Every structure is written in C-alpha cells, then in structure tokens.
Amino acid sequence: MTWHFTEDPAVFRAGAAALLAAEPARNTAVLTLMDTADRLGWWTEPDGRVTGVLAVSPPRVPALGVVTVEAARALAALGGEEKEATAVRGETAAVEAFAEATGRPWEPTVRMRLFRLGTLTPPDPAPAGRARVAGPADVPLAAAWAREFSRDIGEDPTDDPDAFTELVTDRISGGRLLLWEDPEGRPVSTASVSRTIEGQARVSLVYTPPTARGRGYAAGVTTAVSRRALEAGAEQVLLFTDLANPTSNALYQRLGYRPVTDHLGVKFTGTVR
C-alpha cells in the first residue's frame, strides 16, 4: 500500500481514473482542483486498486477525496510536505485521522455537509421577482457579495482586492453566476455553479444580503442555478452547507438536495507535540 504523487493532471487522471469515475460526488473537491493543484496523489492497495485521492492547493492545504483512515494516517507519516500542511479538509473521519497522526495541535475551522440533488423541487409559492444571468456590469456587486459570503461561512477573506473579482469574473464569463432580482429589478440574491467535471457540477456562493433575507430569494436563485446546471448536462448537482447553519441545511433539503457525507476543515496551530 502506498501513496503516489504527481504534478501532472493527466498522469493523475490515468492513475486514479477508476475511483474518480466511481465516486465523482465524494471526490468533488479533488476534481475541481486537479487542473490547478500544486500536487496530486492517489493511494493504491496491494492488489493495485486505488482507494484514495487528494489534491494539494496553496498554501500547502491537502483536500482529501475518498480516503480511508489507514491511508490518511499513512499520508501524515510521510513527513515532508504533509508535515508542513497549514490546514486540511475532506471527509470527517479521514481529516481527523490525518490531523491526529501528524502529532501537531489543530482545531476545526468548519464542519460541512455535502448534498446531492435528487428531484429538483422549486419553492411553492415562488419568491417575488426573477432570476437572470449576471453580466460584466455585475462584477463589482458579485465580488462584494462573494467576499461577504466568505466572511459569513467563517473564512478569512483575502486581503487581495482582485481575488474575488477574478473568481466572479470567471463564473460570469461562463454564464454560471445568477442574480435574483426583486419586482423592481434590484439584485437581492446570488448563486453560482462550477463547470461540469466528470458529469458533476457544484453550486456555491449562495448569498443574500441581511436586509433581503427571509423572503425566499435564496430558494429562488438556488433553484434557478440548479436547473441551469441540469440543462447544461450535469448528471449530478452538488453543494456544501455549513452544519452550523440550520436554515440553509433545511432550505436545500426542501429543494430536493439529499445528504451524501459530512466534511471537516481544520487548521494546524503549532508544530509536532
């Protein structure tokens, strides 16, 4: 049993193809990162089966896909870059096993749940207003809302003023960011969807400013962006929720999303104990 590493996405795809195809939902973070990651890895059993994958993104943050507890512990035991990880995220059991095996102090930063869309069930009654595809003129507003979304889910928004602009510009240029407008035509909520990779797309950046909450706008825009992903050919539509937010967890289940697995993000707070 061993970990294999590469910086070449093509080599990674070839090595981990069977697992990526069998579990695209549980490997969604790795699939999303594999073309931009610093390093990619896959774990093989004695019979050659691949039963674990990961992608490492800056600054030294492994994202674990499907990874057994045994493989997570073995990863931590490798030393080197793994010992220097600033954080790690993935399915809860694997992340906890990796973090403990490093011997370093750590603390949880976020607990999430991965959902997969079953039958899309639009809100009834529908919220007032309509969805529209965002355009170039919407970049400043979308970037500001992306920053606030990041703050709301407990992340530390980057000091780079261009980071959120680049993020939303990419999604807007691909027609993958929607705004919900109230009956007066004012944007009151937003949601976006990733590119479709291995048949799956992931909804994210679902945000409604505080003054517009409680009116169903998030349900409306999430329904619209989910339908857009399905119409674009996605076989599976996924999203993550913060387990600390019961409102969003209940909302997505009303819309037809069903739980897949729980995830954990942790950060390391010191060196080896």
Side-chain angles (χ1 to χ4, degrees):
M1 298 178 288
T2 187
W3 279 101
H4 309 267
F5 297 100
T6 182
E7 296 177 0
D8 187 337
V11 172
F12 174 71
R13 285 187 179 95
L19 181 59
L20 295 174
E23 293 278 11
R26 291 177 62 198
N27 289 315
T28 180
V30 174
L31 287 166
T32 301
L33 293 168
M34 65 182 177
D35 288 323
T36 58
D38 288 346
R39 195 162 68 132
L40 299 156
W42 65 101
W43 169 263
T44 56
E45 300 290 342
D47 61 5
R49 289 180 301 118
V50 175
T51 58
V53 291
L54 65 83
V56 182
S57 57
R60 302 188 304 278
V61 179
L64 307 182
V66 173
V67 174
T68 64
V69 167
E70 180 183 24
R73 290 174 178 151
L75 180 67
L78 291 176
E81 293 188 25
E82 285 65 38
K83 285 287 187 182
E84 297 174 1
T86 58
V88 62
R89 60 186 186 272
E91 293 187 0
T92 301
V95 168
E96 289 177 340
F98 174 86
E100 284 298 321
T102 65
R104 299 168 58 192
W106 58 275
E107 61 184 37
T109 54
V110 65
R111 296 184 185 276
M112 298 175 292
R113 180 161 291 158
L114 175 64
F115 284 84
R116 176 169 46 211
L117 182 62
T119 300
L120 184 62
T121 307
D124 184 16
R130 67 180 186 93
R132 71 166 173 85
V133 179
D138 298 305
V139 167
L141 175 64
W145 281 1
R147 177 180 289 274
E148 291 308 309
F149 169 83
S150 176
R151 199 184 311 276
D152 276 4
I153 64 173
E155 293 181 353
D156 220 356
T158 175
D159 291 330
D160 180 358
D162 296 325
F164 291 104
T165 297
E166 292 171 0
L167 171 65
V168 301
T169 297
D170 173 70
R171 300 191 182 194
I172 288 173
S173 65
R176 296 180 288 107
L177 191 146
L178 272 59
L179 296 171
W180 190 269
E181 294 182 332
D182 68 11
E184 286 71 46
R186 295 172 298 201
V188 289
S189 190
T190 186
S192 72
V193 67
S194 70
R195 293 180 176 84
T196 300
I197 301 172
E198 300 293 333
Q200 53 96 15
R202 192 165 77 243
V203 173
S204 62
L205 293 181
V206 181
Y207 179 77
T208 304
T211 56
R213 292 176 186 172
R215 304 174 195 177
Y217 298 143
V221 75
T222 301
T223 298
V225 81
S226 300
R227 182 179 289 118
R228 189 171 182 83
L230 292 170
E231 291 172 349
E235 298 168 9
Q236 300 185 70
V237 183
L238 312 170
L239 57 78
F240 281 103
T241 64
D242 184 347
L243 283 174
N245 187 336
T247 300
S248 63
N249 281 271
L251 164 64
Y252 297 131
Q253 291 183 80
R254 289 197 300 272
L255 298 181
Y257 283 87
R258 299 293 175 257
V260 177
T261 185
D262 285 358
H263 281 235
L264 174 66
V266 309
K267 68 177 180 180
F268 294 100
T269 58
T271 55
V272 176
R273 291 190 288 262

